[in-house]
Every structure is written in structure tokens, then in C-alpha cells.
């Protein structure tokens, strides 16, 4: 598993140095801009060019209003909680939008958990169990599965994929293998995704943030059981669900 740094320029100015795997860099950049609330849709990006063998990404926004502040760059590891190279580099342009609840079936969650065991679908995770992956689901269908060295990057990449493929995130469920700290939930809130699932567990601040923004949070999700920490909106239990549900 190889770490790769990509320098992201926005309107000609260095904004981020992201540490990730080399694949799906356009999705990473677009998704990161969305979860940092720099853009709302892919249409907010006039152009995106990845050059130098993936070492540099040049982004031009349709709105040329400066969003960068002068700052000194610092290298950040993918294992750290924030992968922005400048602590105040790119200010959010858009406010957070209210998150509306969606109806879903509990068997969809077990379907996501079961997908982790398929090495053909997630070869890096299946081989090493030392990477992170994210999956995006809508109406019971897994739309995309993406792996990365970092849990933040994997989340950004599925968000970017959705934007680039015109998939409405407010109708989606996102599954992550990563631990849910507050910064991960912040990304989900910024993306407007109503249901967040992880095979791991969250921090207390992550739970509080998800509750404030009406996000349904499901943790310790495995094929034989799960824990529902926050239940927002409509009823979603299956009457014939056999695996253990802990609320």
C-alpha cells in the first residue's frame, strides 16, 4: 500500500496537500472541495486537471472570488484528523443545509457489511485489512466502492464520485470502515448524507454532531449485528430481520 501526495491548486494558489492512494484523484479533489463546503456541485468547478503523474491538481472555480488566505504550508499525514495543508487556506463558501431523513430497509445495512468480505470487490482491503474503504448506497443498491490509505480520503472520493455522476447525496447511505471522529461526521454533514454507517465506533463528539444535524448513525455494523446510536426520521426496521439490533 503506497502513500501518494497530491498538491491541489485552486485558482492558481496552493490550497491543499492531500495524502492518498494514486487512484481516483479527480474524485478525491472534487469530494474534498464539497466536504470543505468550497463547492456545492461539480458544476461549480470550471476545470480540473491532474498533472505530473498525479502529483499536482489544478482547479479553477467558476466563482473566482478569492477563498484563500495567506498561510504557511505544512505536510499532513493521512493518519491525522485533518488533511488540509493550510489550516485556514480555503474558507467555506456555502452554509450547511438541513439534512432530511430518508426511508431505508435494515437489510440494506447488512448488505453493506457483507460486501466487506468480497475480495473481488474490495481487493486492497481484502488482501491487507490495513486500508480503509467507503461505499455509497441508494435505494438498496451499492453504487460505488472505493478504497484508500486514509478514511477521510475514501469518504471524499465517494462524495466526489457522486458529484461527478450526478447522484443526489441527500438520498444516499454511506458506509465507512473507519472510526468516526467529529471531523468525519463534519464531512458527512457538509455532503448532506442522511445515513452514516461504520463497522467501527464513534467518539462522543461525533455522536453529538450527528444528532444535531439529524443524521442516522449506525455503528459496529457486521453481518450478524449492529448498533443504532442515533435514529432520525421514519421507521426503518424490517419485520423479518434476523440479525441482532442494539439501539
Amino acid at each position: 500500500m503506497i502513500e501518494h501526495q497530491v498538491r491541489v491548486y485552486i485558482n492558481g494558489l496552493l490550497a491543499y496537500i492531500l495524502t492518498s492512494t494514486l487512484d481516483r484523484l479527480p474524485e478525491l479533489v472534487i469530494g474534498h472541495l464539497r466536504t470543505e463546503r468550497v463547492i456545492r456541485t461539480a458544476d461549480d468547478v470550471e476545470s480540473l486537471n491532474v498533472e505530473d503523474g498525479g502529483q499536482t491538481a489544478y482547479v479553477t472555480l467558476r466563482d473566482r472570488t478569492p477563498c484563500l488566505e495567506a498561510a504557511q504550508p505544512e505536510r499532513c499525514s493521512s493518519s491525522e484528523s485533518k488533511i488540509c495543508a493550510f489550516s485556514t487556506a480555503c474558507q467555506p463558501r456555502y452554509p450547511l443545509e438541513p439534512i432530511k431523513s430518508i426511508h431505508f430497509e435494515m437489510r440494506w445495512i447488512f448488505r453493506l457489511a457483507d460486501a466487506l468480505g468480497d475480495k473481488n470487490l474490495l481487493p486492497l482491503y481484502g488482501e491487507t485489512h490495513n486500508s480503509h474503504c467507503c461505499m455509497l448506497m441508494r435505494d438498496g443498491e451499492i453504487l460505488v466502492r472505493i478504497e484508500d490509505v486514509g478514511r477521510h480520503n475514501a469518504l471524499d472520493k465517494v462524495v466526489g464520485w457522486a458529484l461527478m455522476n450526478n447522484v443526489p447525496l441527500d438520498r444516499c447511505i454511506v458506509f465507512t470502515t473507519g472510526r468516526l471522529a467529529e471531523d468525519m461526521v463534519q464531512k458527512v454533514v457538509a455532503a448532506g448524507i442522511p445515513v452514516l454507517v461504520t463497522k467501527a465506533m464513534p467518539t462522543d463528539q461525533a455522536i453529538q454532531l450527528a444528532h444535531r444535524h439529524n443524521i442516522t448513525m449506525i455503528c459496529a455494523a457486521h453481518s450478524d449485528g449492529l448498533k443504532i446510536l442515533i435514529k432520525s426520521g421514519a421507521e426503518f426496521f424490517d419485520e423479518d430481520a434476523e440479525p441482532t439490533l442494539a439501539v
Side-chain angles (χ1 to χ4, degrees):
M1 189 163 54
I2 299 174
E3 289 187 332
H4 173 81
Q5 279 80 41
V6 55
R7 302 170 71 87
V8 181
Y9 289 80
I10 299 178
N11 295 342
L13 297 175
L14 179 62
Y16 307 111
I17 302 172
L18 306 180
T19 301
S20 72
T21 53
L22 187 57
D23 63 310
R24 295 186 181 268
L25 294 182
E27 288 91 337
L28 172 65
V29 173
I30 292 291
H32 189 71
L33 293 179
R34 170 62 189 262
T35 60
E36 292 294 317
R37 291 191 286 135
V38 176
I39 65 172
R40 275 196 175 114
T41 71
D43 290 337
D44 293 332
V45 177
E46 182 176 297
S47 65
L48 168 59
N49 298 303
V50 178
E51 302 179 4
D52 306 322
Q55 297 184 60
T56 312
Y58 296 99
V59 179
T60 301
L61 301 179
R62 294 191 185 281
D63 179 2
R64 304 298 176 85
T65 304
C67 64
L68 299 179
E69 296 181 358
Q72 294 298 316
E74 62 182 61
R75 296 292 289 275
C76 295
S77 167
S78 60
S79 63
E80 294 178 344
S81 62
K82 190 162 181 62
I83 58 175
C84 177
F86 294 76
S87 60
T88 59
C90 209
Q91 300 303 308
R93 292 172 179 256
Y94 300 109
L96 293 173
E97 298 180 354
I99 296 177
K100 298 180 181 180
S101 301
I102 62 170
H103 173 79
F104 63 93
E105 299 178 15
M106 191 55 65
R107 61 173 174 265
W108 298 356
I109 307 304
F110 294 114
R111 187 178 303 162
L112 286 164
D114 286 341
L116 284 180
D118 192 332
K119 292 184 178 181
N120 294 321
L121 299 177
L122 297 168
L124 185 59
Y125 182 82
E127 182 67 25
T128 68
H129 283 268
N130 193 33
S131 64
H132 286 287
C133 70
C134 258
M135 292 178 278
L136 200 67
M137 171 180 278
R138 184 184 182 192
D139 296 331
E141 177 187 359
I142 299 177
L143 303 178
V144 67
R145 307 165 178 86
I146 293 180
E147 301 176 278
D148 196 275
V149 66
R151 65 188 191 277
H152 302 87
N153 301 329
L155 177 56
D156 281 344
K157 286 180 178 182
V158 297
V159 170
W161 179 91
L163 266 62
M164 293 170 69
N165 288 276
N166 297 313
V167 174
L169 287 164
D170 61 355
R171 300 297 303 167
C172 287
I173 298 169
V174 66
F175 181 100
T176 174
T177 57
R179 176 179 59 88
L180 292 182
E182 184 180 22
D183 53 356
M184 283 286 284
V185 179
Q186 285 174 343
K187 285 181 174 290
V188 174
V189 171
I193 301 172
V195 182
L196 171 58
V197 186
T198 179
K199 73 164 195 171
M201 290 297 289
T203 64
D204 61 337
Q205 292 185 3
I207 294 172
Q208 294 169 20
L209 182 62
H211 179 71
R212 287 199 302 270
H213 289 277
N214 199 43
I215 290 175
T216 294
M217 178 183 283
I218 299 174
C219 301
H222 301 281
S223 59
D224 58 350
L226 52 80
K227 293 182 179 180
I228 303 168
L229 298 190
I230 300 175
K231 177 187 169 189
S232 300
E235 184 73 23
F236 52 78
F237 294 105
D238 286 336
E239 293 181 357
D240 58 349
E242 295 181 359
T244 303
L245 306 177
V247 181

